[in-house]
Amino acid sequence: MAAKDNYGTAAALVKCHHESRGGVRGLVESGITSVPPYFQSPAPGSPAVERTTTFAMPTIDLSLPRAAIVPLVGEAARTCGIFYVTNHGVDAGAAVSAVRTFHELPLASRSPLYTITPVDGVTYGTMPYAPGQGVGPLLPWQDCLRFLSSTPDFGRIPEVCRDALVEHRRRMEEFGKEMAGMLLEALGVGPERLDVEGWLMACHYYPPCPEPERAVGAAEHTDPCVLTVLAQDDVGGLQFRIDGGSNDGAWVDVPPVPGALLVNIGDVLKLVSNDEYKSVLHKVRIKSDQHGRVSVAALFNPRERGHSDLFGPLPELLTADKPARYRTFTMTEFLKTCEEFGYNRSSTDRLKV
């Protein structure tokens, strides 16, 4: 009964948080000196003991000939599921800077835009976790402006960052299609086997925190897409979990690389590659009580994702020794499963043969 009462109290506080229309940034501006319980995980005073290790993150120079790049991205996707690319030709600095400018506007300028229910495909606020995520906190220490980049209403994007984000979306559309093509080529299939487009753009702001060790910027999750391309500032906090080998289950810091983009394999590519590629669990830890972290994530999904469009392991990748590990599915079914059971292994496991 006590646990239920505590949850009810926390839920009421979350409701008040949204009604304030200030987000996490608003809490910081109010001068709080401790982290409210609905942001904390695990229980206050009982920090989780996690195994961490060091790791050499793959970094791929895209100025190399394509014939040299393709096997490198394939190897990185198979062994890590996450890697940096340099010399990519995308100046993401303007988008990152514009996102910071928006999130750090005065409360009176931000609050009229606060909505966690999409309005013409756009949301802004402290987005609650999916019901099935199964995490301790009810809210992340994060505010997010996000919009459907596949069907955007650019007029709904805040004016202060609109031009920079529209241009970033255009550049990401080109980059994402090229990267998806190389990843498919590294599997031995043509890019037409999985035509992708920009699906969602998430502009995250992790405000400085009075108790960084007690807040969760983003709980561990995988991405419900083909791939994600991330631009970020130099604050850091991203971690991913090693899957397999002697360090299985250990968490690794992903230090920012100036000017680089981070490519993260999503669950959909893991599924259609029949586990040839990895989709890794990752999360964000709050690092600073002085500096807010900004990242801009572009998520790509199949262009055709209607109720009749089926996806599953590509037949070209299947053999008698490597039969299909997953059944076919629609994107509608897959995303509904993620909402219900969480953005993590439990959702992809439900598609196993």
Side-chain angles (χ1 to χ4, degrees):
M1 181 64 71
K4 184 176 180 180
D5 290 344
N6 289 339
Y7 183 88
T9 300
L13 291 172
V14 168
K15 183 174 183 291
C16 290
H17 174 85
H18 291 312
E19 290 175 346
S20 75
R21 305 178 67 85
V24 183
R25 173 73 181 179
L27 288 176
V28 175
E29 291 171 328
S30 73
I32 62 168
T33 58
S34 61
V35 175
Y38 49 93
F39 288 102
Q40 296 177 8
S41 179
S46 304
V49 177
E50 291 180 347
R51 191 160 59 92
T52 59
T53 187
T54 56
F55 184 84
M57 178 69 64
T59 301
I60 300 170
D61 182 355
L62 296 188
S63 68
L64 294 171
R66 182 185 176 93
I69 296 171
V70 168
L72 292 176
V73 300
E75 178 66 13
R78 287 181 175 93
T79 58
C80 302
I82 186 169
F83 55 93
Y84 276 119
V85 294
T86 59
N87 295 314
H88 42 71
V90 178
D91 181 5
V96 171
S97 177
V99 168
R100 181 180 297 279
T101 296
F102 165 70
H103 282 289
E104 295 182 352
L105 285 173
L107 177 60
S109 299
R110 300 192 321 270
S111 62
L113 303 170
Y114 193 101
T115 174
I116 60 172
T117 302
V119 177
D120 296 327
V122 179
T123 58
Y124 160 62
T126 311
M127 304 305 297
Y129 290 112
Q133 196 66 23
V135 297
L138 299 180
L139 293 176
W141 191 266
Q142 169 205 137
D143 295 326
C144 185
L145 168 68
R146 66 185 187 186
F147 60 94
L148 293 172
S149 53
S150 56
T151 55
D153 180 350
F154 294 139
R156 296 292 310 180
I157 300 173
E159 185 177 3
V160 71
C161 57
R162 184 182 304 152
D163 290 346
L165 290 180
V166 169
E167 175 62 16
H168 188 67
R169 171 190 175 274
R170 184 186 70 80
R171 300 298 299 272
M172 282 292 97
E173 191 73 17
E174 297 172 358
F175 177 86
K177 288 181 69 69
E178 179 69 13
M179 179 55 62
M182 290 192 288
L183 286 162
L184 289 167
E185 186 176 335
L187 286 172
V189 301
E192 73 283 353
R193 297 295 284 117
L194 191 64
D195 186 25
V196 305
E197 68 174 356
W199 170 58
L200 181 73
M201 187 163 286
C203 307
H204 303 106
Y205 179 75
Y206 305 86
C209 180
E211 299 176 296
E213 71 285 354
R214 302 183 77 178
V216 177
E220 59 182 69
H221 65 284
T222 54
D223 290 349
C225 59
V226 173
L227 75 152
T228 299
V229 182
L230 186 79
Q232 60 182 326
D233 62 15
D234 61 356
V235 173
L238 181 64
Q239 295 184 316
F240 81 94
R241 198 178 78 175
I242 293 179
D243 183 14
S246 60
N247 288 315
D248 182 48
W251 287 92
V252 178
D253 287 325
V254 184
V257 174
L261 294 173
L262 188 70
V263 178
N264 183 32
I265 304 301
D267 285 338
V268 177
L269 192 49
K270 164 190 164 69
L271 293 170
V272 300
S273 74
N274 204 38
D275 283 342
E276 189 77 13
Y277 288 165
K278 292 185 176 182
S279 175
V280 296
L281 284 165
H282 52 285
K283 63 182 179 179
V284 176
R285 300 190 69 174
I286 303 301
K287 300 273 288 187
S288 176
D289 61 357
Q290 298 294 321
H291 305 289
R293 175 180 183 259
V294 172
S295 68
V296 182
L299 283 70
F300 294 83
N301 257 331
R303 183 178 300 277
E304 303 298 331
R305 50 181 184 273
H307 293 292
S308 61
D309 296 305
L310 293 175
F311 300 91
L314 296 172
E316 301 96 314
L317 305 180
L318 305 181
T319 66
D321 294 331
K322 293 184 179 180
R325 297 183 177 182
Y326 303 96
R327 62 174 177 81
T328 57
F329 58 93
T330 66
M331 286 302 299
T332 299
E333 176 193 10
F334 174 66
L335 294 173
K336 183 178 179 181
T337 300
C338 291
E339 283 290 328
E340 186 175 354
F341 298 103
Y343 295 93
N344 50 43
R345 291 284 177 268
S346 63
S347 293
T348 53
D349 285 349
R350 289 176 182 274
L351 296 173
K352 283 187 174 180
V353 173

